[in-house]
Amino acid sequence: MATEVLVPVLGESISEATLGEWLKQPGDAVAVDEPIASLETDKVSVEVPSPVAGVMGEHAVKIGDTVQVGALLATVDAGGSAPAKTEAATPAVTAAPAAAAPAAAPAADESSDSPAALSPSVRRAVLEHGLDPATIKGTGKDGRITKEDVAAAAANKSSAPAPASNGSAAGRADEGVAPARREERVKMTRLRQTIAKRLKEAQNTAAMLTTFNDVDMTAVIEARAKYKDLFEKKHGVRLGFMGFFVKAATMALKDIPSVNASIEGDEIVYHDYADISVAVSAPNGLVVPVIRDAQDLTVAGIEKTIGDFGKRAKDGTLKMEEMKGGTFTISNGGVFGSLMSTPIINPPQSAVLGLHRIEERPVVVDGQIVIRPMMYLALSYDHRIIDGREAVTFLVALKNAIQDPTRILIDL
């Protein structure tokens, strides 16, 4: 008996999604609650489980199609069993000829390293690096190849020594052959479409301005080096820089409430809490989960929350409600090597703080030129409700707290 698999309820105000990937192909055995497809919404990817155990039936939609909540995705034949492989049913006397025939392995298209089984982003990465998927070991669910697997394979390929030239005619002939030029068109994921729409909306709506400052990271680096082992032993999480910056930001937001405000119609909404959105890298791009009531958390609590977000973003298990809200955003482009940038506001928020890479630079301290680890800070803000004086005051308060972490401890 065939059981229909429908698009599940995806969350408040979300009525449709895009089919990102089929995790099971027709004829595959599936267990109850085993994921069979991945849906991409405006915020996160959602795996659709099988309601029954049995055999995967026909797919009702194709990868990239937009589906409504409640629409038919596929069917599962409840209680069925996967068909036996052709080779097992073939008499021994014919096994060798069957194995030699190219048509004797139709199931190869369903393997985790076949082009059809790769997600669009992974397939694009494979093409960009000129790799053979069959040579890449997948570490994802059910052995599927991830973008990280492709990057690792590309790194190994680039580090491998080039074969020595033997001076043969074939080798000389290849020297004059131009490499093939390839193009691939990949439909934007729903998440990427939403990001593009929201960022352009922010540019069109807000009177956006960016103010810069720099901060001496010496004190925080020394504190981290001194206590990182004890911190990890006690709290079970590594001590990073984001814990300091989030805590310092909540203190500065308390002093400059307009940076933590938002515009609704002709009203300004001030928040007496700091829900800090932090940009986290995920396989399909950056996602921005929210640290709720960050003003009440310790540095350890903040680091634990960020670490959990990062792990679940990589696994694709972040929940949609964890992305909603937020009164202020911190984006750390420094982990990718960015020296300076002008981040774009995350509507309806009114400000975003951009962190950048730490770089040793000559600075003047007490009349002497010294080398210090410096970081540029960038605050992009909506000039409709935040004045330049307030933006600069916020950055200075943040800078003072980072340069003297004792201020964070005694709330100064």
Side-chain angles (χ1 to χ4, degrees), residues 300-319:
I302 293 169
E303 290 288 0
K304 287 180 180 179
T305 304
I306 294 175
D308 177 60
F309 283 158
K311 180 179 182 300
R312 291 193 290 121
K314 187 174 182 179
D315 296 340
T317 57
L318 280 173
K319 300 177 181 177

Side-chain angles (χ1 to χ4, degrees), residues 127 257 271:
L127 290 174
H271 310 284

Side-chain angles (χ1 to χ4, degrees), residues 130-375:
L131 300 174
D132 180 3
T135 64
I136 303 174
K137 182 179 180 181
T139 61
K141 183 184 282 291
D142 297 329
R144 294 197 304 276
I145 297 174
T146 67
K147 290 181 68 176
E148 289 77 11
D149 298 331
V150 177
N156 292 335
K157 177 183 177 183
S158 61
S159 62
S165 174
N166 57 11
S168 66
R172 290 192 299 271
D174 288 344
E175 293 176 0
V177 178
R181 289 158 53 92
R182 294 184 177 182
E183 289 184 352
E184 182 189 15
R185 293 182 181 269
V186 179
K187 185 177 180 180
M188 292 175 66
T189 64
R190 179 169 292 274
L191 176 60
R192 177 53 59 184
Q193 292 179 49
T194 301
I195 291 173
K197 179 181 178 180
R198 287 175 60 83
L199 293 181
K200 189 57 184 173
E201 177 186 345
Q203 287 185 318
N204 293 339
T205 303
M208 198 152 54
L209 182 64
T210 303
T211 295
F212 299 94
N213 211 320
D214 61 1
V215 59
D216 185 346
M217 296 291 291
T218 300
V220 167
I221 291 175
E222 290 177 349
R224 183 171 179 263
K226 184 176 181 180
Y227 297 111
K228 64 179 182 180
D229 292 337
L230 289 173
F231 185 90
E232 185 171 1
K233 183 178 180 180
K234 179 175 181 178
H235 300 290
V237 65
R238 294 179 61 188
L239 176 60
F241 297 124
M242 281 295 286
F244 290 99
F245 275 102
V246 171
K247 195 62 183 177
T250 63
M251 296 166 54
L253 291 173
K254 189 192 309 180
D255 294 336
I256 316 294
S258 62
V259 181
N260 198 41
S262 59
I263 293 179
E264 291 186 8
D266 58 356
E267 297 178 332
I268 299 176
V269 180
Y270 293 94
H271 310 284
D272 67 351
Y273 53 88
D275 284 353
I276 307 297
S277 304
V278 289
V280 176
S281 181
N284 292 330
L286 290 178
V287 293
V288 192
V290 180
I291 305 174
R292 309 288 178 187
D293 293 315
Q295 77 283 352
D296 296 331
L297 296 177
T298 63
V299 172
I302 293 169
E303 290 288 0
K304 287 180 180 179
T305 304
I306 294 175
D308 177 60
F309 283 158
K311 180 179 182 300
R312 291 193 290 121
K314 187 174 182 179
D315 296 340
T317 57
L318 280 173
K319 300 177 181 177
M320 271 175 267
E321 54 266 26
E322 293 174 311
M323 314 281 220
K324 295 180 180 178
T327 61
F328 182 77
T329 294
I330 299 179
S331 178
N332 185 8
V335 297
F336 305 110
S338 172
L339 176 64
M340 187 179 293
S341 66
T342 56
I344 299 178
I345 296 169
N346 181 21
Q349 298 172 19
S350 296
V352 53
L353 175 68
L355 309 181
H356 302 90
R357 78 168 184 252
I358 301 171
E359 184 177 63
E360 288 192 341
R361 295 199 298 271
V363 296
V364 178
V365 178
D366 298 328
Q368 301 293 320
I369 298 177
V370 296
I371 303 298
R372 292 291 173 85
M374 305 297 293
M375 176 195 287

Side-chain angles (χ1 to χ4, degrees), residues 19-48:
L19 180 63
E21 183 180 5
W22 280 112
L23 307 180
K24 291 291 183 179
Q25 301 298 323
D28 287 353
V30 297
V32 63
D33 292 331
E34 184 179 7
I36 62 171
S38 176
L39 298 176
E40 295 177 352
T41 70
D42 292 351
K43 297 180 180 293
V44 293
S45 295
V46 178
E47 289 187 340
V48 180

